[in-house]
Amino acid sequence: MISHLDQNHLFLFFPAVCKKSLATHNPFAVSLKGSTFRDCKATHFLQLRRLYCFQSSNPVKRLSRNARVKVQDVLLDYLHSSRGYSFMDSEFISKNSPHFIQSLVSEFHEQDDDVAGSLRRFLRYNPINEFEPFFESLGINPHELHLFLPRGMMFLSDDDVLLENFHVLTNYGVPRNRIGKIHKEAKEVFGYPSGLLSLKFQAYENLGLSRSRVIKLIVCCPSLLIGETSSELVTILDWLKKIGIEHDWIGNYLSCSKTYNFKKMLDAMKFLHKVGYSEKQMHNLFMENPALLLEGLEKKVYVFLGLSLKLGLKKNVIYSSFLEYPHILSSKSVKNLLGVVGFLYYIGMGTDDIAHILSNHMHHLSSHPLKGPKAVCFQLKIRKAELCQIIKDDPLKLIILASKLKQNSSVLLSCDESSKHLEKTTFLRKLGYAENSEEMAKAVKRFRGRGDQLQERFDCLVEAGLDYNIAIKMIQHAPMILNQNKVVIEKKIDFLRNILGYPLECLVGFPAYLCYNLERIMLRFSMYAWLKERKAVNPMLTLSSILVSSEERFIKYFVNVHPEGPIIWKGLKSLLQKDKSQHILCI
């Protein structure tokens, strides 16, 4: 169909509206001597009003979409033409500082059509604190701006060192909206002398990391740019290589919304080595559960280890359980085990009996959060001593009597269940579903396919470039994504990036895109492209705005907005039907 559309000029191969070149120019060659300000009192009043707008609960002036675009253009023109900043910087700041723009226009009480003109006249004679929209565009929360605004400066060009390091980051490929996190957690970076920041990037590349992985690492852990190259990271990378995991692997599972502790990661690796994990076992463990490395071991693990030793458990018995059942090392499992110890201690069980139960049933008990002992005794109408004796006689009765999880056939897995079912639940645990929970039981029914098929479909999202943790959140919001085969998912991603020209990040806000029929996607975006070429629609619409509406609404608000729209819509449908018919004949 795409070939037909191209020949008939009905589909536009337009570039992504979100993508921007990383090239920079001589950005801030502007002198302040030529600037004149007619009314400083008005400027001061405006700044006070802007602060009030952020803090007040009173309703603020709402702009229509068209008016907002015009106001953004005014700010772009001011920064680029009046202040002399590069077009790329000016455009990004103007389009990514909505709170600042809202605070500016709150001063003007004209109709939407007149606000842009009023703002243009105001900026002609009054300065603004350029650091406010700049920092907001970098991802810093507007309510935190006062913590980062430099004293005694209003113009970005006054801090040429900050700007130089900012451009080093953007030229290297660091997303602009992530630079705010670096500024918050490693402000020293923006005071580095010329060339130092580039040397730090090169030092991490020399460790064998690709540029994309270096970017991911410094966004997740800005502290890596402070001081010498992280010795912990060097040791971790060497250890990963030793167990057969390539350096770039670690970047696939880092989340830019989190901050990581490399010392904690290294401690986890040392602990697992001490427990007795071989290189192959450690390799398999990290490949199946990357969080054990990236998040490190919780303090609860060490607390449980110490408590178990005090109870009399042999160290080799505990280590053997950790080795055989790695999930015990997770925070949730250790919390459950600590709950078991507390429960048994409360009902009066001796340390030897507690140690015996843990050494023989640690695996089973780690999967079950327990009710409080008082609640269990009240429910069963028995005393603590009686409950203690019941559990001594049959330790697994503790799960039956006290587990918070419902005990039914759809949740508890029997030993003779098929490997297919086990593979699926193993995969679902990686997505965050708790073992033996009601959510797990529902998910088993919701996701279609074997565990290896689901894993393959999930992997194609990560391989396409999505962050591992973000991919998990996408599946949780739109589970139907994984009910399609890998080829279909790949086709939709390819169409999004290479035909529609949207960046992959658009899927984060609208994962349901992957659930829509490819024919629907092609048909609607072909129509949208035709309308956009004739300036009949907003050129900045999101994926959801085009796909979610019913066909009746789409025809009303898209097709019928242009006199020739219905004819083109009918033609597009015919082309699509023709493509489908030819495909069937080929088969």
Side-chain angles (χ1 to χ4, degrees):
M1 176 183 177
I2 294 302
S3 60
H4 288 305
L5 295 174
D6 184 39
Q7 292 165 7
N8 290 277
H9 304 288
L10 296 177
F11 191 88
L12 304 180
F13 293 83
F14 48 89
V17 294
C18 301
K19 294 182 180 178
K20 294 179 176 61
S21 170
L22 295 174
T24 57
H25 311 288
N26 186 15
F28 301 103
V30 60
S31 172
L32 297 179
K33 293 181 180 178
S35 302
T36 59
F37 310 112
R38 182 170 293 181
D39 191 349
C40 292
K41 288 184 178 180
T43 302
H44 179 66
F45 176 68
L46 177 64
Q47 291 171 342
L48 290 178
R49 282 297 300 269
R50 282 214 304 273
L51 180 62
Y52 175 76
C53 286
F54 284 134
Q55 296 175 347
S56 174
S57 59
N58 295 330
V60 296
K61 182 178 180 64
R62 285 290 191 190
L63 290 175
S64 66
R65 181 178 296 173
N66 288 335
R68 190 182 305 114
V69 171
K70 290 179 181 178
V71 169
Q72 289 173 349
D73 290 341
V74 171
L75 183 57
L76 164 61
D77 185 60
Y78 168 79
L79 293 171
H80 179 55
S81 301
S82 301
R83 298 290 299 124
Y85 303 137
S86 73
F87 181 83
M88 186 189 302
D89 291 333
S90 303
E91 182 186 39
F92 187 83
I93 292 171
S94 66
K95 291 186 182 298
N96 293 278
S97 53
H99 287 84
F100 178 79
I101 286 177
Q102 185 67 56
S103 69
L104 274 180
V105 301
S106 65
E107 276 306 307
F108 309 119
H109 304 290
E110 293 86 347
Q111 296 297 320
D112 278 4
D113 292 341
D114 302 324
V115 170
S118 298
L119 179 60
R120 190 181 299 277
R121 288 190 294 274
F122 180 87
L123 293 176
R124 194 174 298 159
Y125 304 110
N126 297 275
I128 60 172
N129 188 332
E130 295 165 4
F131 288 94
E132 292 183 40
F134 175 69
F135 284 138
E136 184 183 345
S137 72
L138 301 187
I140 295 179
N141 191 303
H143 299 285
E144 299 177 325
L145 283 177
H146 66 281
L147 301 173
F148 304 99
L149 296 177
R151 293 183 179 181
M153 285 191 281
M154 291 182 64
F155 304 107
L156 286 171
S157 52
D158 290 344
D159 196 342
D160 56 341
V161 176
L162 178 145
L163 289 173
E164 180 182 354
N165 285 295
F166 164 72
H167 284 115
V168 171
L169 289 167
T170 57
N171 290 342
Y172 190 72
V174 179
R176 291 174 182 244
N177 62 347
R178 298 294 184 183
I179 293 177
K181 181 181 179 184
I182 298 175
H183 191 275
K184 288 171 66 175
E185 298 182 19
K187 189 176 180 181
E188 301 95 318
V189 169
F190 295 86
Y192 282 167
S194 180
L196 179 57
L197 189 52
S198 296
L199 289 175
K200 290 185 177 292
F201 290 145
Q202 188 59 51
Y204 284 110
E205 286 189 23
N206 291 341
L207 296 177
L209 295 167
S210 65
R211 175 175 288 208
S212 62
R213 295 297 176 254
V214 174
I215 292 171
K216 197 82 172 284
L217 282 169
I218 63 172
V219 169
C220 295
C221 308
S223 59
L224 289 175
L225 294 174
I226 300 174
E228 300 296 326
T229 303
S230 171
S231 58
E232 286 92 359
L233 177 60
V234 173
T235 306
I236 289 169
L237 292 176
D238 288 343
W239 207 325
L240 288 175
K241 186 175 181 180
K242 186 179 178 183
I243 64 176
I245 298 177
E246 294 300 320
H247 288 170
D248 276 358
W249 170 87
I250 196 170
N252 292 330
Y253 301 98
L254 293 174
S255 170
C256 294
S257 61
K258 296 182 179 180
T259 299
Y260 296 90
N261 186 326
F262 290 106
K263 185 179 184 304
K264 196 174 179 181
M265 289 187 201
L266 189 56
D267 288 342
M269 298 182 86
K270 289 178 179 178
F271 179 78
L272 293 172
H273 179 70
K274 187 177 179 181
V275 165
Y277 275 82
S278 65
E279 291 180 1
K280 184 177 180 180
Q281 288 172 319
M282 202 179 293
H283 171 277
N284 294 337
L285 177 64
F286 291 152
M287 294 300 285
E288 291 177 8
N289 192 353
L292 271 180
L293 171 64
L294 301 179
E295 297 175 10
L297 298 178
E298 296 288 338
K299 287 184 178 179
K300 296 188 188 83
V301 175
Y302 303 108
V303 171
F304 174 71
L305 177 61
L307 182 60
S308 299
L309 292 173
K310 283 185 179 180
L311 289 171
L313 269 75
K314 299 296 183 183
K315 187 179 289 188
N316 63 326
V317 173
I318 304 171
Y319 285 0
S320 177
S321 295
F322 288 165
L323 194 60
E324 189 173 358
Y325 306 109
H327 75 272
I328 293 177
L329 294 166
S330 70
S331 177
K332 188 178 291 186
S333 295
V334 172
K335 182 180 178 181
N336 291 341
L337 289 172
L338 289 172
V340 168
V341 175
F343 187 103
L344 297 178
Y345 181 79
Y346 181 85
I347 61 176
M349 188 173 291
T351 55
D352 290 343
D353 291 318
I354 295 176
H356 176 76
I357 290 174
L358 283 178
S359 61
N360 289 292
H361 305 286
M362 190 181 297
H363 166 53
H364 298 291
L365 295 172
S366 67
S367 300
H368 294 268
L370 301 181
K371 303 173 187 175
K374 285 185 180 180
V376 175
C377 289
F378 179 79
Q379 185 179 0
L380 299 175
K381 295 181 174 53
I382 58 176
R383 293 175 297 173
K384 291 191 294 184
E386 294 174 295
L387 179 59
C388 181
Q389 189 58 50
I390 291 172
I391 295 171
K392 278 183 183 179
D393 295 340
D394 185 359
L396 292 181
K397 284 277 182 72
L398 175 61
I399 296 174
I400 298 171
L401 300 176
S403 176
K404 290 181 180 179
L405 304 178
K406 292 184 178 180
Q407 311 294 309
N408 56 60
S409 57
S410 67
V411 176
L412 293 178
L413 303 179
S414 61
C415 297
D416 60 346
E417 282 185 303
S418 67
S419 59
K420 178 181 175 181
H421 198 98
L422 292 174
E423 283 179 7
K424 183 181 282 191
T425 54
T426 299
F427 169 75
L428 293 174
R429 280 201 300 271
K430 295 178 186 178
L431 296 186
Y433 292 95
E435 188 175 11
N436 294 340
S437 65
E438 288 187 69
E439 289 77 12
M440 173 70 86
K442 292 176 182 177
V444 168
K445 296 176 181 178
R446 188 185 303 126
F447 289 97
R448 297 197 297 269
R450 301 190 309 270
D452 61 325
Q453 292 173 329
L454 295 172
Q455 183 68 57
E456 182 183 49
R457 297 164 193 170
F458 178 82
D459 287 343
C460 82
L461 296 177
V462 177
E463 289 165 5
L466 285 168
D467 179 87
Y468 180 83
N469 295 292
I470 288 176
I472 289 178
K473 290 179 181 178
M474 285 174 55
I475 298 304
Q476 290 171 345
H477 282 97
M480 293 296 291
I481 292 173
L482 295 189
N483 287 345
Q484 309 167 86
N485 66 51
K486 179 183 177 182
V487 174
V488 172
I489 296 173
E490 288 175 338
K491 280 184 179 179
K492 290 179 181 179
I493 293 175
D494 179 69
F495 189 80
L496 175 76
R497 291 200 294 196
N498 299 323
I499 304 300
L500 299 183
Y502 281 82
L504 192 63
E505 288 72 20
C506 290
L507 292 179
V508 177
F510 186 55
Y513 162 85
L514 294 172
C515 300
Y516 283 94
N517 186 286
L518 190 56
E519 285 77 13
R520 178 189 182 113
I521 296 170
M522 294 167 69
L523 185 60
R524 291 202 174 187
F525 276 96
S526 297
M527 188 69 211
Y528 174 63
W530 185 86
L531 291 168
K532 192 167 70 166
E533 186 183 44
R534 285 149 183 79
K535 298 181 180 179
V537 291
N538 188 329
M540 303 286 287
L541 290 181
T542 59
L543 295 171
S544 58
S545 300
I546 300 168
L547 288 175
V548 169
S549 59
S550 64
E551 182 160 348
E552 291 76 14
R553 286 181 63 84
F554 185 82
I555 291 173
K556 180 179 178 181
Y557 292 106
F558 287 86
V559 178
N560 292 339
V561 297
H562 192 282
E564 298 176 27
I567 299 172
I568 299 301
W569 178 248
K570 185 177 180 180
L572 287 169
K573 281 191 166 184
S574 298
L575 285 174
L576 178 62
Q577 191 61 41
K578 184 178 179 182
D579 270 3
K580 289 174 70 175
S581 301
Q582 289 178 348
H583 179 69
I584 293 171
L585 288 173
C586 291
I587 295 174

